[in-house]
């Protein structure tokens, strides 16, 4: 249709970031039943106010998350040490002399032992902190999240095919109450996608992959009210960067 | 003593090996700058400057990623092949075959991306290649390209292993006799590291072959594959390939740094233990790519983090520490080659630290698929492996051509490449930590702060590119002189 320079199509094309829609290869009969279905559904009229996905906006005050800041600080510190050591050793070649290898080996032993100790304690501290759901307690509100090129749908029932997606009550944006513990069961109907949740300050709180044929269980405790943006974080094709959704926490 | 016949054969062989190396250098000097341009193009698009050309972002991302990984790998292999030609005799025919196979693979890749607009990313994660808006033929040509490259490189690796086994046997080439407490026969560290890398390469290329075979089965019969299995195979392939490419560069460092600092670097029990554990660990660390696939058995996630943490020890305490003691207060001859090789270890170390941070599951929950990922691998590829390769190339070309060196110019080139390169990756780090996703052609408002980072990065890439152009002109002059002789 683009090739035919259809004016409506051209306008849509420009509005939607000039992304060419994948050809879903819908035949005439399928298209007609789809149009009939859309008409039937729209004739029903809005049963209740369905929340609409707000336009993409920058968070009012952007903040680094706590984990992010710690990671960045550790990284900066270690990098500075590395650069200093290399600078020092590079400079030392201005004054060539014989180096006592005995003391070098002693230093290496100290480094090995202290390095291992540091790594092991870091492992001991960080390994228990994982996002994986190991047991069902405490009870969480379960939301099935279905990703496909290029949108997310939230529903109460699991969806495993496009066919099923048509018959569930699916939402494009989710509303939850503040302090809710939500378990997302995330899957995909086509390629891999990512389901990443940003807090109202723009820091990633958590993410999981949306994979065809599997449900990944991700629990998030929504403590702050506000708008949590959801972006797709696994490259899924030409419109990957416009694949978004959101969670409104009241 | 060699008799005349053998000596003649030897000279002929060395001449053929020299020609092959010069060809590889030329291939790199042509492909690398083009791929850098594809990289800058992506930064321009992410900086909202290119309008409608942005539809080329994902094809260019695919070309840049696949091309760079390929160039880095063949560059590393070419360096190592020249280095180990001192100790053993890889077949010059296979090496020539590798050049031809690589060129054919590159042509297929270009056809698929530039004509077919294929854009599934460099590791073509299943099932995206079959579900994009590009024509099926372009996916098939892409898969064929990877097949040709994979098969060629597999044969190349096997031939180097054959040559090494013939001279040393594989167990000695892995330094197992050092582990048993013996000190004889002496095996150069470059041989141990090359052997480790080649075994890793064979393993990952086999995994790549399985992925490709499963793709072809699906294309031909229509039976769908398991997405989790394909992901495991794909990341095993990608992770190990990138890591062993870097180790090829490290093998070169072990061989060349001693020539500049005038102190020997010998293999011993510690070096052998270190590199054998690297081989074991690197095969398990790939699990860190699947942390966000929660259905993967949780034990694998833990193994992934432990292996990733542990892999840093042998690198830091044995190799980097060893190199530093070697250079410390030595009569180091500084030129572009030794500066590049020395500084390349900084990129390896810093990129490694960033990788270990990201391999922490609790951190990965926030950093996975953000720009932190390209940040860390560009650090150890661009400021690590690329410096190792360019450093060795210059070392070799200088040795061949004996051109007079301009030390001020060389220091300036090094400065430009270091400042430009680190400034460029710093923008990735800052953006990644603050949640800007990787592989976004343009940034929606939620992560709109990615735009200014892209623009600043372009400035740094400009510095880098001036340095690269000067490097190629310097090294290119040596190349011309060496090629004529
Ligand atoms: C100055 C030189 C370079 C520039 C300007 C550059 C630029 C870029 C950019 C902008 C991206 C996309 C980042 C994103 O949004 O996800 C990228 C991705 C990538 N780059 Fe580079 N890069 C350079 C050098 C290298 C080198 C030396 C290597 C490897 C040896 C490399 C390997 C890759 C890979 C594997 C990807 C990922 C592609 C994908 O996601 O499919 N790059 N690069
Ligand atoms: Cu996506």
């Amino acid at each position: 249709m683009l090739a035919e320079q259809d004016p409506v199509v051209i306008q849509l094309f420009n509005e939607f970031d000039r992304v060419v829609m994948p050809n879903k290869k819908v035949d005439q009969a399928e298209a007609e039943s789809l149009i009939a279905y859309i008409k039937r559904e729209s004739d029903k009229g809005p049963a209740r106010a369905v929340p609409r996905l707000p336009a993409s906006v920058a968070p009012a005050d952007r903040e680094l998350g706590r984990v992010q800041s710690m990671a960045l600080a550790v990284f900066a510190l270690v990098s500075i040490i590395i650069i200093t050591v290399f600078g020092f050793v590079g400079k030392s070649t201005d004054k060539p002399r014989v180096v006592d290898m005995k003391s070098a080996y002693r230093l290496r032993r100290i480094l090995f032992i202290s390095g291992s100790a540091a790594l092991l304690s870091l492992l001991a501290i960080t390994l228990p902190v994982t996002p994986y759901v190991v047991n069902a307690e405490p009870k969480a509100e379960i939301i099935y999240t279905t990703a496909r090129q290029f949108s997310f749908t939230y529903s109460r029932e699991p969806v495993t095919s496009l066919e099923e997606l048509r018959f569930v009550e699916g939402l494009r944006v989710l509303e939850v109450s503040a302090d809710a513990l939500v378990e997302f069961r995330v899957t995909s109907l086509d390629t891999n996608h990512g389901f990443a949740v940003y807090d109202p300050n723009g820091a990633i709180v958590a993410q999981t992959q949306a994979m065809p044929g599997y449900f990944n269980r991700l629990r998030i405790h929504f403590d702050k009210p506000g708008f949590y943006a959801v972006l797709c974080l696994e490259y899924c094709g030409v419109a990957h960067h416009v694949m978004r959704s959101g969670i409104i926490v009241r | 003593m060699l008799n005349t016949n053998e000596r003649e054969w030897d000279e002929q062989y060395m001449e053929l090996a020299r020609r092959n190396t010069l060809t590889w250098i030329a291939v790199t000097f042509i492909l690398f700058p083009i791929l850098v341009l594809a990289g800058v193009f992506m930064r321009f698009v992410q900086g909202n400057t290119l309008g409608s050309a942005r539809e080329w972002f994902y094809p260019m991302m695919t070309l840049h990623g696949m091309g760079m990984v390929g160039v880095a790998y063949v560059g590393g292999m070419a360096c190592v092949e020249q280095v180990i030609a001192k100790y053993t005799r890889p077949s010059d025919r296979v090496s020539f075959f590798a050049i031809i196979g690589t060129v054919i693979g590159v042509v297929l890749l270009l056809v698929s991306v530039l004509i077919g607009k294929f854009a599934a990313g460099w590791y073509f994660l299943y099932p995206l290649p079959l579900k994009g808006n590009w024509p099926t033929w372009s996916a098939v040509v892409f898969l064929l390209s990877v097949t040709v490259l994979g098969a060629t490189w597999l044969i190349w690796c096997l031939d180097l292993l054959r040559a090494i086994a013939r001279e040393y046997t594989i167990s000695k080439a892995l330094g197992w006799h050092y582990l048993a407490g013996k000190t004889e026969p002496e095996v150069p560290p470059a041989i141990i590291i090359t052997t480790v890398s080649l075994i890793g390469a064979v393993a990952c290329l086999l995994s790549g072959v399985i992925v490709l075979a499963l793709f072809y089965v699906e294309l031909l019969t229509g039976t769908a594959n398991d997405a989790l299995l394909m992901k495991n195979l794909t990341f095993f392939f990608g992770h190990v390939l990138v890591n062993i490419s870097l180790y090829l560069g490290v093998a070169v460092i072990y061989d060349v740094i001693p020539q500049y600092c005038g102190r020997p670097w010998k293999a011993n029990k510690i070096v052998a233990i270190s590199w054998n554990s690297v081989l074991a660990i690197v095969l398990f660390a790939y699990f860190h790519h699947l942390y966000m696939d929660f259905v993967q058995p949780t034990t694998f996630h833990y193994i992934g983090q432990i292996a990733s943490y542990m892999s840093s020890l042998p690198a830091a305490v044995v190799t980097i520490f060893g190199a530093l003691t070697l250079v410390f207060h030595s009569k180091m001859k500084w030129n572009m080659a030794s500066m590049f090789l020395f500084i390349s270890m900084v990129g390896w170390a810093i990129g490694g630290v960033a990788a270990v941070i990201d391999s922490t599951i609790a951190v990965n929950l926030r950093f996975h698929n953000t720009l932190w990922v390209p940040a860390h691998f560009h650090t150890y590829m661009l400021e690590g492996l690329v410096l190792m390769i360019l450093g060795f190339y210059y070392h070799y070309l200088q040795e061949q051509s004996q051109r007079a060196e301009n030390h001020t110019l060389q220091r300036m080139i090094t400065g430009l490449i270091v400042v430009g390169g680190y400034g460029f990756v710093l923008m990735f780090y800052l953006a990644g930590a603050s949640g800007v996703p990787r592989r976004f052609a343009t940034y929606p408002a939620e992560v709109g702060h990615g735009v200014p980072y892209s623009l600043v990065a372009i400035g740094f890439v400009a510095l880098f590119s001036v340095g690269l152009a000067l490097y190629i002109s310097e090294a290119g002059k040596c190349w011309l002189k060496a090629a004529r002789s």
Side-chain angles (χ1 to χ4, degrees):
Chain A
M1 284 207 218
L2 257 183
E4 293 160 15
Q5 297 279 318
D6 183 313
V8 179
V9 173
I10 296 283
Q11 194 202 342
L12 282 173
F13 176 62
N14 288 333
E15 234 167 74
F16 284 93
D17 217 31
R18 309 183 66 89
V19 163
V20 181
M21 204 169 95
N23 189 346
K24 298 275 189 206
K25 308 212 168 60
V26 185
D27 64 26
Q28 190 70 27
E30 267 185 294
E32 274 164 14
S33 85
L34 197 64
I35 292 170
Y37 170 76
I38 294 172
K39 185 158 165 18
R40 211 164 49 238
E41 290 296 305
S42 16
D43 286 349
K44 278 190 205 159
R48 61 184 169 85
V50 176
R52 286 176 55 108
L53 181 60
S56 176
V57 285
D61 40 353
R62 204 180 281 288
E63 266 172 36
L64 270 192
R66 197 174 53 91
V67 175
Q68 286 89 332
S69 324
M70 276 179 350
L72 206 52
V74 171
F75 176 61
L77 183 73
V78 181
S79 300
I80 289 170
I81 295 176
I82 292 171
I83 293 168
T84 314
V85 171
F86 271 84
F88 174 71
V89 171
K91 201 92 193 87
S92 75
T93 59
D94 290 349
K95 299 196 189 68
R97 64 169 164 81
V98 178
V99 172
D100 172 23
M101 283 314 280
K102 278 246 169 54
S103 57
Y105 289 140
R106 211 173 312 128
L107 180 60
R108 181 168 73 186
R109 165 160 303 195
I110 296 171
L111 283 177
F112 179 75
I113 293 171
S114 53
S116 312
L119 283 180
L120 288 177
S121 35
L122 269 177
L123 275 174
I125 296 168
T126 58
L127 265 186
V129 193
T130 65
Y132 310 119
V133 181
V134 269
N135 46 26
E137 289 301 320
K139 276 241 171 320
E141 194 177 334
I142 291 172
I143 301 289
Y144 288 91
T145 307
T146 311
R148 66 196 173 112
Q149 288 165 328
F150 297 94
S151 66
F152 294 98
T153 308
Y154 306 100
S155 60
R156 294 278 163 190
E157 307 91 61
V159 173
T160 54
S161 66
L162 272 178
E163 184 67 3
E164 285 175 22
L165 191 63
R166 263 181 233 162
F167 294 104
V168 299
E169 199 179 329
L171 299 171
R172 282 306 160 82
V173 55
L174 186 68
E175 262 184 315
V176 300
S177 47
D179 222 32
L181 175 64
V182 179
E183 178 172 317
F184 295 94
R185 298 202 174 159
V186 186
T187 191
S188 163
L189 298 182
D190 38 47
T191 75
N192 286 280
H193 297 275
F195 173 73
V197 180
Y198 288 71
D199 72 12
N201 292 324
I204 297 179
V205 216
Q207 62 173 311
T208 189
Q209 291 268 305
M211 218 193 306
Y214 290 92
F215 283 94
N216 285 323
R217 295 162 65 195
L218 171 69
R219 285 186 166 208
I220 298 180
H221 178 215
F222 291 96
D223 44 4
K224 290 185 266 198
F227 182 68
Y228 287 65
V230 170
L231 294 182
C232 175
L233 247 58
E234 182 65 55
Y235 174 58
C236 56
V238 281
H240 165 57
H241 55 287
V242 291
M243 178 167 167
R244 54 184 284 276
S245 169
I247 299 155
I248 300 164
V249 180
R250 296 198 193 279
Chain B
M1 263 315 265
L2 298 174
N3 63 37
T4 22
N5 232 337
E6 276 173 3
R7 190 172 305 132
E8 213 166 86
W9 186 85
D10 221 49
E11 271 168 16
Q12 254 177 12
Y13 174 84
M14 287 316 272
E15 179 54 24
L16 286 173
R18 195 176 82 95
R19 292 274 148 203
N20 280 337
T21 304
L22 289 177
T23 311
W24 278 123
I25 295 177
V27 169
T28 317
F29 283 1
I30 295 167
L31 291 183
F32 183 64
I34 297 177
L35 293 168
V36 171
L37 282 183
V40 194
F41 169 79
M42 283 189 280
R43 269 335 221 162
F44 270 110
V45 174
Q46 290 171 329
N48 282 341
T49 54
L50 286 185
S52 65
R54 65 171 175 242
E55 67 194 62
W56 279 98
F57 181 90
Y58 294 117
M60 280 302 155
M61 180 185 90
T62 306
L63 181 64
H64 170 86
M66 194 68 193
M68 279 294 192
V69 170
V71 163
Y73 173 76
V74 294
M77 284 289 281
C79 294
V80 152
E81 185 163 38
Q82 184 60 47
V83 164
I84 68 172
K86 278 195 295 205
Y87 313 111
T88 167
R89 291 275 172 271
S91 152
D92 53 273
R93 290 221 188 99
V94 171
S95 178
F96 184 69
F97 162 80
I99 297 177
I100 301 296
T102 303
V103 170
I104 294 175
V106 169
V107 171
L108 289 173
L109 175 67
L110 289 172
V111 169
S112 155
V113 172
L114 296 182
I115 303 176
K117 272 199 169 179
F118 180 78
W122 89 267
Y123 50 77
F124 54 100
L125 188 59
Y126 175 86
L128 186 53
L130 313 176
K131 303 221 152 129
N133 72 332
W134 42 83
T136 310
W137 71 258
S138 71
V140 173
V141 173
F142 180 84
L143 294 173
L144 283 177
S145 154
V146 185
T147 311
V148 170
L149 293 174
T152 306
W153 297 346
L154 194 56
I155 293 170
W156 195 11
C157 283
L158 290 172
D159 180 64
L160 292 200
L161 276 174
R162 177 201 57 79
I164 290 174
R166 203 163 148 211
E167 193 71 30
Y168 298 95
T169 76
I170 291 293
S171 76
K172 294 215 172 64
L174 284 171
W176 287 355
H177 58 296
Y178 291 114
L179 301 183
K182 300 201 191 86
T183 51
E184 293 285 315
E186 212 173 271
V187 180
I191 292 287
I192 298 184
I193 303 167
T194 303
T195 310
V196 164
S197 311
L198 291 173
I199 293 175
V202 170
C204 77
L205 291 173
L206 284 177
S207 168
V209 168
I210 298 174
V211 171
L212 289 167
L214 292 174
F215 262 110
Y216 290 130
V217 168
E218 178 157 346
L219 273 169
L220 293 176
T221 68
T223 39
N225 279 290
D226 182 277
L228 185 60
L229 173 69
M230 289 297 261
K231 222 177 210 176
N232 273 281
L233 289 166
T234 302
F235 282 115
F236 181 82
F237 158 74
H239 170 86
V240 178
L241 181 67
V242 169
N243 273 266
I244 62 104
S245 300
L246 199 73
Y247 298 152
L248 293 171
V250 175
V252 170
I253 290 197
Y254 268 86
D255 211 78
V256 178
I257 290 256
Q259 301 175 35
Y260 284 86
C261 68
R263 292 173 180 164
W265 198 351
K266 293 228 162 69
N268 54 32
K269 196 168 174 174
I270 302 274
V271 170
I273 292 177
S274 151
W275 283 96
N276 279 281
S277 54
V278 164
L279 178 56
I281 292 169
V282 75
L283 302 180
F284 292 103
Y286 94 89
F287 284 132
H288 62 217
H289 292 275
L290 284 102
Y291 287 157
M292 293 304 117
D293 298 294
F294 292 10
V295 284
Q296 172 101 326
T298 313
T299 327
F300 290 178
H301 298 313
Y302 292 133
I303 294 177
Q305 186 175 337
I306 295 170
S308 310
Y309 270 53
M310 287 308 151
S311 65
S312 63
L313 266 184
V317 180
V318 179
T319 300
I320 293 183
F321 183 84
L324 286 173
T325 46
L326 214 63
V327 172
F328 193 52
H329 284 299
S330 70
K331 286 204 192 75
M332 188 82 174
K333 285 196 302 260
W334 290 111
N335 70 354
M336 204 150 70
S338 56
M339 280 189 283
F340 276 24
L341 290 176
F342 185 70
I343 294 173
S344 73
M345 285 183 286
V346 179
W348 183 29
I350 294 185
V353 170
V356 169
I357 290 175
D358 191 25
S359 74
T360 313
I361 298 170
V363 175
N364 193 262
L365 187 66
R366 281 104 180 160
F367 280 8
H368 188 80
N369 279 349
T370 65
L371 282 177
W372 188 273
V373 180
H376 93 270
F377 71 68
H378 279 92
T379 312
Y380 61 60
M381 288 306 231
L382 186 62
E383 289 298 313
L385 180 54
V386 168
L387 284 186
M388 296 175 193
I389 293 170
L390 297 185
F392 178 79
Y393 282 176
Y394 181 72
H395 161 76
Y396 181 73
L397 292 172
Q398 175 59 26
E399 199 179 69
Q400 295 288 314
S401 67
Q402 303 290 341
R403 225 177 129 248
E405 296 185 295
N406 176 344
H407 285 281
T408 321
L409 180 62
Q410 297 201 344
R411 227 171 283 140
M412 204 174 90
I413 294 174
T414 314
L416 283 167
I417 286 189
V418 167
V419 173
Y422 278 98
F424 161 68
V425 294
L426 181 62
M427 296 307 119
F428 274 160
Y429 281 113
L430 295 175
S434 57
V436 181
R438 75 182 284 201
R439 296 176 144 188
F440 265 36
T442 52
Y443 297 115
E446 288 93 338
V447 289
H449 59 308
V451 175
Y453 286 124
S454 319
L455 296 173
V456 177
I458 293 170
F460 282 109
V461 180
L463 290 182
F464 177 89
S465 305
V466 173
L468 181 65
L470 291 171
Y471 166 89
I472 292 183
S473 100
E474 279 294 280
K477 282 177 202 148
C478 300
W479 189 93
L480 286 176
K481 201 167 163 205
R484 272 194 219 106
S485 64

